[in-house]
Structures are given as C-alpha cells and as structure tokens.
Amino acid sequence: MAEKTQTRRGPLGWVKRHKKLTIFLVIVLVAALVLVNVLGKTGKATADSYQFVRTTVLTKTTLSDTVSVTGTVKAGSSASVTASDSVKTYKVTAVNVAVGDTVRKGDVIATLDTTDVEKQIANAQLQLSDTQTDARKNYTQAVEDQTTNLATAQENLDKAQKNYDTLGIDDYYTSMASAANSGKTNREIVTDWYTRYAEEIAGYENTLANLNIQLTQAQQDGDTARADGLKGQIEDYQNRESIAKGQCSIPELGLQGFDAVSQTYNKIEQYREALEQAQQSYQNSATSASRSVDNAETKLEQSQREDDTLTNLQTALENCTLTATMDGTITALDATVGAVCSGTVATIQDVDNLTVEVTIPASSVGRLKTGLQCNITSDATDDTVTGTLTRIDPVANDSGSFGATVTVNGQDSGLLVGIPAKVEIVISAKDNVFTVPRDAVGTNDDGSTYVLRKTGGEGVDMTFEQVAVTEGDTNDYYVEITGDDLNEGDVIRATADLTQGIESGTSDSDMQVMENGDLYVGDGSNMPEGAVVVGGPGGGPGGPGGQ
C-alpha cells in the first residue's frame, strides 16, 4: 500500500521531499550555462580580433545636407517633324539636313514631290472659277428679273388704283342736301345708300317670289278666290318695292333709283377687288423676286469663298515642305530621297539646355522643394556640373517614388543626352566649419560632448586626449563641431567608441591613461611609464563611463 502511494507521488513528490537539494542543483545548472555563454563570447571575440585606429584631420570645409539620386540626361526640349496624313503617300525629293546639324525654327528639313497635288489644285481652281462665273450670271439675272417683275406688278397696281380712284365719285361733297351724307366720300355715300335699301328690296323680292309660287299653285288648283287674293298681295309688294327703289336715289351724284345706285356700288366693289388683287400680286412679286435675288447672292458669296477642297489641297502643298518646328540639333533622321514618309521624319532636340530626369525616394521627397541647387556628375565629364531642381511630381509613380527634373545650369556642361548621371540635391550648406564623422563625438555621463584628439604615436600606438566640443548642424554622416581648443590640422579619432579599432581581446592593461591625461592604446608591455589603468574596454578618458 505504501509503494502505491510513493508511485502516485512520482517526481513531483521527490522534489517536495528534497527541496534544498533541488535548489542547489538549479544554481549549479545556471552557473554552468553562464560559463558556457561567456566562454563562447570570448572565443568569438578572439576569432574576430583586429587592430587599427581610424582618424580624420580637422579642416575648414562645407557641411552639406543632401539627397543623392540618379537619373538620365535629357534634352531641355524636343520636337518631332512628321509628314501630315495628306502627304504620307508623296515621295521625298530632297533632304536638306543630316544628324548633328543645328537648325532654326522654319528651316527646311525635307521636301516632297508636289506634282500630283499641283495638278489637283489647278483642276480645283478651274472648277471654282466656273462655279463663280455661273453664280455671278444667276445673280445678275435674278436682279434683272426682280426689276422686270416688280415693274409689271407696279404697272398693274397703278392701273387698278387709277380705276378705283377715277370713278368720278371719290371726292367729298359738302353741299349734300341730307345732313347724313355730309363729310363722307361719294364712295361711302353710295355704299351707305346701297346697304340701307338692298336688304329691304331683297326682302320684297323674296316675298314676291314666294307669292308668285302660291299664285301659280292656286291657279292650277282652280282656286279663283285665293288667286285673286294673292294677286292683290303681289301688287301691294310690287308697289312697296317700287317706292323703295325710287327712294334709293342720290340726285347729287346723278344716281336715280336703286338700280343706278346698285350698279355704281357693284362697280366700286369690282374695282376695289381688282385693286386688292393688284396689291397682293405686287407684294407676291416683290417677295418672290427678293427671295430669288437673295438665293442668287448667297450662292455668289459661297462661290467667292475659299473652296474647302482647294483649301485642303493648298494645305497639302504647304505640307510638302517639312520644316523645323524649333531651334535645336537634329538627333534622328528618317528621310530618304525617293521613299515615302511614314512616322517621324526628324527629331530635333535642344542639346544646349539639358535636364536630368531623376527619381526621388518617398522618404526624401518631403525634404525637397524646387529651386534647390544640385551637383551633377557623370562619366562624360570629370567636373561637377551645377543644376537646379525645377520640378517634382505631385503624385508618386507605381514604385512609390517621385519623378523630378533637374535643369542643368549653363550650356557648356559637357554632359551628353542619354547618359546616366548622379545628382546630389543640396538641401542646406554651411561653409567654413569643422566637421567630423558623427561617431567621432562622444558623450560623458554629465551630457557634455567631446572628441579624441591625437597627441602622439602612430598606428595602434597613437595616444589621444579628450577635447570638449559643441555639436552644430549635421547630416547623415557628419556633424559640425566647435570648441575653443580646436585647431585646423588636429587629428581626431574617427570614433569615440574605444572598442572600435582596438584588438577585441585586449585586457585592462591595453587601454591606459597616462599621468599627463593622454590615452594610450596598444600592447600593455609597451605602456609608457606613469600610465594608470582606466578600467577596461569601453571606458573613456578620465574614468569609467565614457563612450
């Protein structure tokens, strides 16, 4: 039973029963791991051991903050000379330039065969001349017809007006016996009297016609009494009609009775209608003649305008002379006498005013702006060429970078179109300052900064002293330093980190500070007299804790 209980406890039970022993074993294991780790690092340091000390000489220089990019030299501007579609089938008759020639805008590059287009122009001009002649004749005829037709219409109108006016009754009469006629024209008086009695007399005539029909029927029926009565009525209405006709007289106009007035009224109406027809005829003739003249004039004007076909042919003739579209140098030429033109005939580039097309990383574009000075170098020239950043694309390309243009200053740069170039875009520049690598400046525990200046020795045996400095402007690699104890020509250790450039396996005796404060770097067996131990690698002059 006891054995089963011990089995159930297992290793965990053993640990609980031997707690002190377990702790001891853990401590031993950790110590062993630390020892292995230390020995491993020591072996690696020994394998990487090296001895050198880098230095830099202080000199007044320019500290520049720049962005370096690469690009391709391009012409400042370029243009293509091409044959228009209307002359692409014409053969070249002459080529006036060669690659490398300098041309001015308007200079003839090549000429094409104009024989065919000149024939077409001659035919078009002849056809246009015929069209203009016909249009001029039609216009002249339309004007003549207008004059003739209007004259005829005017003659008819004048005749109708005369007939209407010369009835002899269109004057005013103030001696009328009736006050109702006073102040009216004879034509108005006749119209008034006719209108006044015509309806009454027409009523009598209608009644008489009806009574006569009834009389005839009564006579046919043998109704003597009715026939006699109807005869009496007919006689009565005849008398009334006769009286009314007699009353419708205008003695002052010599018109006695209704019949005379009616005849005069009908004559007035006939001449009035004739006059209205003559007026309408004249108006129609005038409108028709004017429309005809206008149409003929429009066609004449159209014929006198430049014909579209002729204009296109004349343009094609002009296009047979291919000219330079800008000042520059011929950099490509594709024109051969006897061949037809297709595509670009010549390429003209301004090789005196060059640019460099560059690509700026997104990480740098925010620091740049147009107008910054640039320094350009290439395999084509040993000198550095200056330029100006003149364009930055506002939108990134597919690669996430930004296209930009650097305009080369001057025309004799020595750069060649198409070659690669390196461009250093200068964000800022400070002249006449001391600069050192950024790693050359160390920092003490109190925050003060210093550099290590050489005081003696050579190679790994050089000795250095700490010189207090103040940091100024900086770029990716260098920092400006100032200090009262700095002099041009001072040799400064390139890094203030004493583990940089010293044999990795050095002991405390390999890094010593001498009594005069100089730092000694080298083999401890060659240490000058009076040196004291600093405290091992990583300690700066003056005691542990220096960088």
Side-chain angles (χ1 to χ4, degrees), residues 58 60 430 432-436 441 449-451 467-473 479-487:
L58 279 188
K60 292 290 186 178
K430 194 170 186 180
N432 199 31
V433 295
F434 287 137
T435 63
V436 294
V441 180
T449 52
Y450 64 90
V451 294
V467 179
V469 296
T470 301
E471 291 182 291
D473 292 341
V479 60
E480 174 194 359
I481 60 172
T482 57
D484 295 337
D485 199 22
L486 294 177
N487 299 290

Side-chain angles (χ1 to χ4, degrees), residues 17 65 88 153 165 178 258 263 266 286 325 335 341-342 368 445:
R17 288 185 288 107
D65 185 12
K88 282 187 175 179
D165 292 340
S178 173
F258 177 76
Q263 290 177 0
N266 290 335
T325 53
C341 291
S342 60
L368 305 179
D445 289 341

Side-chain angles (χ1 to χ4, degrees), residues 126-418:
L126 180 61
Q127 183 177 359
L128 178 61
S129 177
D130 292 342
T131 301
Q132 290 176 342
T133 299
D134 292 342
R136 191 174 293 106
K137 288 181 179 179
N138 292 336
Y139 175 73
T140 301
Q141 186 63 49
V143 173
E144 291 177 355
D145 291 345
Q146 181 188 44
T147 302
T148 300
N149 293 336
L150 287 178
T152 300
Q154 185 66 54
E155 183 180 351
N156 294 334
L157 178 61
D158 292 343
K159 183 178 180 181
Q161 187 71 50
K162 182 178 180 181
N163 291 335
Y164 184 70
D165 292 340
T166 57
L167 291 173
I169 58 172
D170 58 330
D171 295 330
Y172 285 89
Y173 288 82
T174 59
S175 60
M176 290 290 184
S178 173
N181 294 332
S182 179
K184 297 181 180 179
T185 64
N186 295 337
R187 187 180 294 106
E188 291 173 339
I189 293 172
V190 171
T191 300
D192 286 347
W193 279 85
Y194 174 80
T195 303
R196 185 186 310 169
Y197 285 94
E199 184 175 358
E200 179 183 356
I201 293 172
Y204 290 146
E205 290 180 351
N206 288 336
T207 300
L208 288 171
N210 186 35
L211 291 173
N212 284 324
I213 292 174
Q214 295 180 29
L215 176 61
T216 301
Q217 185 63 41
Q219 289 174 346
Q220 291 177 351
D221 294 340
D223 190 348
T224 305
R226 178 172 174 69
D228 291 342
L230 289 171
K231 288 179 181 179
Q233 292 180 34
I234 290 172
E235 183 178 357
D236 178 55
Y237 276 100
Q238 287 176 341
N239 290 334
R240 292 182 183 183
E241 180 181 13
S242 177
I243 293 171
K245 286 184 176 181
Q247 291 176 342
C248 184
S249 298
I250 308 174
E252 296 88 346
L253 299 180
L255 300 178
Q256 299 297 326
F258 177 76
D259 291 340
V261 172
S262 177
Q263 290 177 0
T264 302
Y265 174 79
N266 290 335
K267 195 172 184 181
I268 291 172
E269 286 299 299
Q270 290 175 0
Y271 282 118
R272 182 184 61 77
E273 291 176 358
L275 177 60
E276 290 178 352
Q277 291 177 356
Q279 291 172 335
Q280 185 63 45
S281 177
Y282 179 84
Q283 184 64 37
N284 292 341
S285 296
T287 301
S288 177
S290 177
R291 185 179 296 112
S292 297
V293 171
D294 289 343
N295 291 339
E297 184 178 17
T298 299
K299 292 181 179 179
L300 177 60
E301 291 176 352
Q302 290 175 344
S303 70
Q304 292 174 340
R305 295 173 188 165
E306 193 69 29
D307 181 68
D308 289 341
T309 300
L310 181 59
T311 299
N312 293 337
L313 290 171
Q314 290 172 336
T315 300
L317 179 62
E318 294 174 358
N319 291 339
C320 285
T321 302
L322 306 179
T323 60
T325 53
M326 62 171 281
D327 298 348
T329 300
I330 302 293
T331 57
L333 184 65
D334 185 14
T336 305
V337 174
V340 297
C341 291
S342 60
T344 300
V345 176
T347 300
I348 304 172
Q349 293 184 312
D350 182 3
V351 297
D352 291 329
N353 298 290
L354 303 179
T355 64
V356 182
E357 300 301 319
V358 300
T359 302
I360 301 173
S363 58
S364 300
V365 73
R367 303 168 58 200
L368 305 179
K369 62 181 179 180
T370 57
L372 292 178
Q373 177 184 330
C374 302
N375 298 319
I376 307 166
T377 57
S378 74
D379 294 338
T381 175
D382 295 332
D383 299 326
T384 298
V385 179
T386 62
T388 303
L389 182 62
T390 54
R391 179 189 64 85
I392 303 175
D393 286 345
V395 180
N397 56 29
D398 294 339
S399 301
S401 54
F402 293 78
T405 299
V406 174
T407 300
V408 178
N409 297 337
Q411 296 186 341
D412 298 323
S413 63
L415 297 173
L416 302 176
V417 174

